[in-house]
Amino acid sequence: MTGPLRNPVDAPVVIIGAGIVGCSLADELTARGWRRVTVLDQGPLPAPGGSTSHAPGLVFQTGPSKTMTEFAAYTVRKLGSLDVDGRPCFTPVGGLEVATTEARWADLHRKAGLAASWGVRGELLDPQQCKKLWPMLDASRLHGGFHTPDDGLARALPACRAQMARAERRGARFLARHTVTGIERAAGRVTGVVTDRGVFPAEHVVSAAGFWGPVIGALAGVDVPLLPLAHQYATTAPLPELAGTDAPYEGSLRSKEAEGSGDEAVRPILRFQDRDLYFREHLDATGGRLGIGSYAHRPMPVDPFTVPAYDDAPVMPSSLPFTEEDFAPSWRDSVELLPALGRSRIADGFNGVFSFTPDGMPVLGESRTLRGFWLAEAVWVTHSAGVARAVAEWMTDGRPATDVHECDLTRFEDAQRSPAYIEERGAQSFIEVYDVVHPLQPVERPRPLRTSPFYPRQQELGAYFLEAGGWERPHWYEANAPLAEGIRLPERDAWSARYWSPIAAAEAAVTRERVALYDMTPLRRLEVTGPGALDFLQRMTTNQLDKKPGAVTYTLLLDEAGGIRSDLTVARLAADRFQVGANSGADLDWLLRHAPHDVHVRDVTSGTCCIGVWGPLARDLVQPLTRDDFSAAAFGYFRARQTHLGHVPVTALRLSYVGELGWELYTTADLGLRLWDTLWEAGREHGVIAAGRSAFNSLRLEKGYRSWGHDMTTEHNPYEAGLAFAVRPAKGAFLGRAALAGLSEETVTRKLTCLTLDDPAANVLGKEPVLLDGAPVGYVTSAAYGYTLGRGIAYAWLPAAAAVPGTAVHIEYFGEKVAATVAREPLFDPQMTRIRR
């Protein structure tokens, strides 16, 4: 899908930073017809002294993020097509991850599943097969390994040279020795870049400055949430055990003239993640050396504002002196894995600086507060070309073809942007680079950060909290443990049993049978007001919102190409006032970018709170607390009302994300605790409990309710996602409408599909490959055990031909093939009798 050009003219662009990201972006922009591109760097070219200049060049494609895998895959393809002086810029030596523990071996099975989901070739190997690829290995220590033959080594600086040359042929210019000292702006837009050698007018400025990103951001008044950290890299003395090539060894990687990762290699990149280590060859005619990178040492943060200039640095700005004492444990671990190293020594080493963010992902996108100022930061060589393509598409077409919500600069909440948070979480991202991280694993510090008004009561009930967006979110309550006694559930494997409790089954059962309170406070709430509010929301969303006050509507935000940016719940509280239930900061940013002067969009999440009261006895609980009629006839499904419950003013929305009768009840944060206590006291006679998100996720999948960011993204249109009911083309113009012309549920080639696991004892968690006739055809988006149904549920993207109820498929879970069947949705209460009663 493609959309209309955002910038149909060749706008002048200044890219700050001539590392691998800046050079790649210049190449991508000029390939799309933008010729007026200037790339500035404070250092000499082509090796200006940033992270690219010392990068070891490892490119591993497979990871939990589909987006990052696609970025890496494009980097492999692009760099594999480039050469300099007859030498390729990418060498597909492959990658080999080895496991020395049972936990890592299990994780490599999971990694193999991720590779299959994202289309990366990979194979699990036994210890002897690993040793055949790497004869120096002590196979007796191995459980096995994971081999990815298409991974390899990027020669970062030659890749920069190749892309610079192409961009220059199309009209771009690259200027060395230009230190940026200011960002010019006017009327909320960037207008130019000030350097020590002149001013460069620009309609677009891209900060691709690497670990100097916060410095450039400060000049623009835009915060860049990244932390530079030093990472140790060492090279051994020549090793006769390494089979050499005819290529000469190009010298120490600390050399200012070094060609990045330019040395030859024939064996796969070796990763020893159980000890936070990786290895790559630097071959020469005498046998070559081994490069060793370590994440095992203490975090070494670097202040980007104090990094010396190129000419003042002993080696180069990104290369700090090697701290041998930090590397000593890693050397011992290296010798244990590769005993031949015991006859060698470390000949050279340095601590190289590069960027980490609080969640380990890049920071991409255009600032709303300074239009035309873009970030392409915290990007490693591995993902460089893929990121550059996405940003170039974003700038020229108005959207990247790849979903980038995990990398969007708006994803961090205000509470996650403090320097203290960025430093603490950035350091933790460094520590976790090679850790086995569970998909539900929360950050450990700083917590608690954001809590709802109900937090004291939740603690009293023994809530087990996980964290997302800085919010403490109860997943189950120990107070409900007695309710779980006697509930028979299949035994879980160790992985799916983490961050789970059988108490969730009891909470789901009480929700289905009686009534439960759910803390929905972390869900984002926006207030849209003004005389143009209705027209604005009509233009921005897909469903018909021109209804009388009191109506609630489920609708979608699309981009120009018809991709799903978000799903919203819009309550019309008055003629010119709407409450919008949104998903992320990107939704607020998107609406603010498009809002006309007579419309005000405000995030009210922090000042408000919400309780979901759901279950067949929800009306029995709520009705005695209000003088208003909460009967089905007087207060229908998808209706809103402002009322009082006891002494608390509330906005009540008759919605349910769990498929049961009930309401979302909103009030101000100062009255939140009173609302909880009021409902709790009134619910005692009905057996009310507090329930957590573990039960919530199970119940919503039984009803087939989608979760944006998991089940659908900008890469999917509404018809593919099964959301055609939320699209009303007949209402008139709305953003993305033209791109949907001719599409329907009957014409799509892929579908978000409901699967049930054939074995009631089986579990999957998400992102596993789905196999048809033994071959991968899709991947799981969301999964949970359906406590009401008594079996596992998974939603997955499948080809439309396979998304037919009754079709038999398999889901690969840690190497095991779990039988599943395509099911007709919703699985629970398809007639909607319970939710509408």
Side-chain angles (χ1 to χ4, degrees):
M1 296 184 293
T2 58
L5 289 180
R6 175 177 182 167
N7 297 291
V9 297
D10 182 11
V13 180
V14 172
I15 299 171
I16 301 171
I20 189 68
V21 178
C23 292
S24 297
L25 180 56
D27 182 47
E28 295 286 340
L29 285 173
T30 55
R32 287 164 174 75
W34 284 26
R35 304 294 189 243
R36 300 162 64 190
V37 176
T38 300
V39 183
L40 305 174
D41 204 293
Q42 61 186 343
L45 297 178
S51 300
T52 301
S53 300
H54 69 245
L58 282 65
V59 178
F60 283 93
Q61 298 172 84
T62 306
S65 168
K66 176 175 178 288
T67 296
M68 298 300 280
T69 299
E70 290 179 357
F71 285 166
Y74 181 73
T75 300
V76 166
R77 295 195 301 272
K78 183 176 185 181
L79 270 56
S81 70
L82 300 175
D83 66 83
V84 172
D85 300 330
R87 294 180 62 197
C89 293
F90 179 81
T91 306
V93 295
L96 177 63
E97 301 175 50
V98 295
T100 59
T101 64
E102 289 283 359
R104 182 68 62 179
W105 184 226
D107 189 60
L108 291 187
H109 282 76
R110 184 175 70 103
K111 183 75 70 69
L114 290 170
S117 289
W118 312 146
V120 178
R121 288 200 304 157
E123 181 184 13
L124 291 165
L125 305 180
D126 64 34
Q128 290 307 314
Q129 290 173 310
C130 294
K131 187 172 179 64
K132 186 175 181 180
L133 289 175
W134 259 93
M136 290 173 64
L137 282 167
D138 179 359
S140 68
R141 300 196 67 227
L142 304 183
H143 291 271
F146 177 54
H147 180 224
T148 45
D150 300 322
D151 291 342
L153 293 166
R155 299 173 61 230
L157 288 178
C160 287
R161 288 172 53 195
Q163 293 179 97
M164 286 172 62
R166 293 203 310 196
E168 285 175 330
R169 287 195 293 270
R170 302 184 191 117
R173 58 178 177 167
F174 290 76
L175 302 178
R177 301 289 189 174
H178 282 66
T179 299
V180 175
T181 59
I183 305 294
E184 292 189 334
R185 55 198 122 165
R189 286 203 62 92
V190 69
T191 60
V193 176
V194 182
T195 76
D196 57 352
R197 300 176 67 176
V199 178
F200 295 83
E203 292 182 26
H204 297 275
V205 173
V206 185
S207 178
F211 63 79
W212 284 287
V215 178
I216 301 301
L219 296 175
V222 176
D223 66 306
V224 180
L226 69 80
L227 176 70
L229 285 148
H231 161 58
Q232 292 200 298
Y233 191 81
T235 50
T236 68
L239 288 165
E241 290 82 3
L242 296 179
T245 70
D246 294 333
Y249 180 65
E250 297 183 352
S252 165
L253 290 185
R254 295 183 67 205
S255 166
K256 286 191 176 185
E257 291 75 31
E259 284 287 284
S261 55
D263 307 301
E264 299 292 346
V266 294
R267 293 189 179 90
I269 308 159
L270 178 64
R271 288 204 285 185
F272 182 22
Q273 292 168 303
D274 287 324
R275 292 295 182 271
D276 297 309
L277 292 167
Y278 64 82
F279 308 86
R280 59 146 296 179
E281 293 175 307
H282 297 285
L283 294 180
D284 62 18
T286 66
R289 309 163 190 249
L290 196 62
I292 307 172
S294 173
Y295 294 99
H297 55 83
R298 61 189 170 88
M300 304 178 193
V302 175
D303 183 351
F305 292 88
T306 63
V307 174
Y310 185 91
D311 292 322
D312 297 329
V315 179
M316 57 182 167
S318 64
S319 180
L320 304 181
F322 190 60
T323 50
E324 295 183 14
E325 64 278 8
D326 290 306
F327 195 78
S330 292
W331 177 250
R332 291 192 293 270
D333 290 334
S334 299
V335 171
E336 286 185 14
L337 183 71
L338 306 168
L341 290 180
R343 299 186 295 274
S344 186
R345 61 181 175 82
I346 294 299
D348 196 9
F350 68 101
N351 291 356
V353 182
F354 62 144
S355 304
F356 285 82
T357 59
D359 59 4
M361 301 290 280
V363 180
L364 311 179
E366 182 193 24
S367 168
R368 179 180 50 79
T369 56
L370 182 58
R371 301 296 292 273
F373 184 80
W374 296 78
L375 297 179
E377 297 292 9
V379 182
W380 297 0
V381 171
T382 303
H383 310 104
S384 55
V387 164
R389 179 180 66 169
V391 174
E393 291 169 341
W394 212 338
M395 294 174 69
T396 59
D397 296 340
R399 70 185 295 271
T402 301
D403 166 57
V404 293
H405 82 272
E406 294 174 311
C407 310
D408 195 299
L409 60 87
T410 63
R411 71 186 184 274
F412 295 114
E413 304 289 336
D414 289 343
Q416 297 172 305
R417 290 179 170 272
S418 69
Y421 186 93
I422 293 167
E423 181 170 355
E424 188 165 7
R425 289 303 311 152
Q428 188 63 28
S429 293
F430 175 90
I431 293 170
E432 293 175 353
V433 165
Y434 280 171
D435 285 1
V436 177
V437 178
H438 193 278
L440 292 177
Q441 185 171 324
V443 302
E444 295 180 2
R445 298 167 57 192
R447 290 180 64 192
L449 185 61
R450 307 178 78 188
T451 60
S452 80
F454 323 128
Y455 186 66
R457 298 294 182 264
Q458 293 166 343
Q459 288 180 302
E460 292 168 5
L461 293 170
Y464 185 89
F465 293 99
L466 298 181
E467 182 268 357
W471 286 102
E472 294 296 319
R473 299 188 178 197
H475 274 243
W476 66 83
Y477 294 85
E478 289 297 330
N480 297 325
L483 300 174
E485 295 175 4
I487 295 180
R488 302 190 64 180
L489 296 171
E491 185 175 348
R492 291 199 166 211
D493 64 276
W495 187 251
S496 65
R498 292 184 67 184
Y499 308 108
W500 173 85
S501 169
I503 295 171
E507 294 177 359
V510 172
T511 306
R512 291 278 188 241
E513 297 164 6
R514 301 199 303 261
V515 62
L517 306 184
Y518 287 83
D519 181 0
M520 306 302 291
T521 301
L523 300 184
R524 188 174 298 272
R525 291 170 294 286
L526 310 178
E527 182 182 77
V528 181
T529 58
L534 174 61
D535 290 342
F536 168 63
L537 289 173
Q538 284 280 74
R539 292 194 307 272
M540 295 301 297
T541 70
T542 59
N543 212 335
Q544 177 59 264
L545 302 182
D546 190 3
K547 303 173 182 176
K548 294 179 180 180
V552 182
T553 307
Y554 177 82
T555 188
L556 306 174
L557 285 178
L558 304 183
D559 61 22
E560 295 91 338
I564 303 172
R565 284 191 58 95
S566 188
D567 60 344
L568 310 176
T569 303
V570 180
R572 191 174 193 183
L573 303 181
D576 58 357
R577 183 162 66 92
F578 296 81
Q579 177 176 301
V580 178
N583 283 296
S584 70
D587 297 345
L588 173 65
D589 185 82
W590 184 251
L591 294 175
L592 286 171
R593 286 175 184 272
H594 291 83
H597 293 302
D598 62 346
V599 174
H600 303 284
V601 181
R602 187 167 66 101
D603 189 331
V604 297
T605 308
S606 296
T608 57
C609 58
C610 177
I611 299 176
V613 182
W614 293 315
L617 302 182
R619 182 175 289 114
D620 298 296
L621 189 160
V622 174
Q623 182 62 81
L625 299 174
T626 179
R627 296 180 181 181
D628 290 319
D629 188 351
F630 270 53
S631 68
F635 198 158
Y637 187 54
F638 264 80
R639 299 292 298 172
R641 174 177 294 173
Q642 292 180 296
T643 184
H644 287 80
L645 296 182
H647 298 283
V648 182
V650 300
T651 299
L653 274 54
R654 187 160 170 210
L655 305 176
S656 173
Y657 206 51
V658 300
E660 295 292 339
L661 170 68
W663 289 264
E664 293 179 0
L665 303 174
Y666 298 87
T667 191
T668 53
D670 61 318
L671 291 169
L673 199 57
R674 183 63 177 264
L675 176 61
W676 179 282
D677 289 344
T678 299
L679 295 169
W680 188 262
E681 186 60 33
R684 285 182 182 275
E685 62 179 290
H686 305 294
V688 71
I689 65 166
R693 293 194 67 84
S694 187
F696 177 89
N697 195 48
S698 170
L699 297 169
R700 69 101 178 167
L701 285 176
E702 291 181 339
K703 282 298 293 180
Y705 294 145
R706 277 64 169 144
S707 173
W708 185 86
H710 294 93
D711 300 317
M712 71 274 192
T713 68
T714 55
E715 295 182 7
H716 311 107
N717 70 53
Y719 302 106
E720 296 171 326
L723 298 175
F725 68 89
V727 180
R728 294 288 185 268
K731 78 169 185 173
F734 58 82
L735 189 62
R737 180 176 182 266
L740 300 182
L743 299 179
S744 70
E745 291 180 294
E746 290 69 38
T747 62
V748 298
T749 59
R750 60 180 177 177
K751 289 185 176 181
L752 183 62
T753 307
C754 178
L755 307 174
T756 56
L757 307 189
D758 294 356
D759 181 356
N763 280 288
V764 297
L765 293 184
K767 300 187 178 181
E768 298 89 355
V770 180
L771 313 177
L772 180 64
D773 297 328
V777 294
Y779 60 92
V780 173
T781 59
S782 294
Y785 189 83
Y787 298 113
T788 313
L789 303 176
R791 66 181 60 248
I793 305 166
Y795 271 75
W797 281 101
L798 296 181
V804 178
T807 302
V809 297
H810 286 86
I811 301 171
E812 187 175 307
Y813 180 71
F814 285 90
E816 300 293 328
K817 291 180 173 56
V818 177
T821 303
V822 175
R824 195 176 307 278
E825 59 173 336
L827 299 169
F828 179 79
D829 189 26
Q831 302 304 316
M832 302 285 284
T833 55
R834 297 173 69 93
I835 205 168
R836 295 181 182 274
R837 67 172 112 198

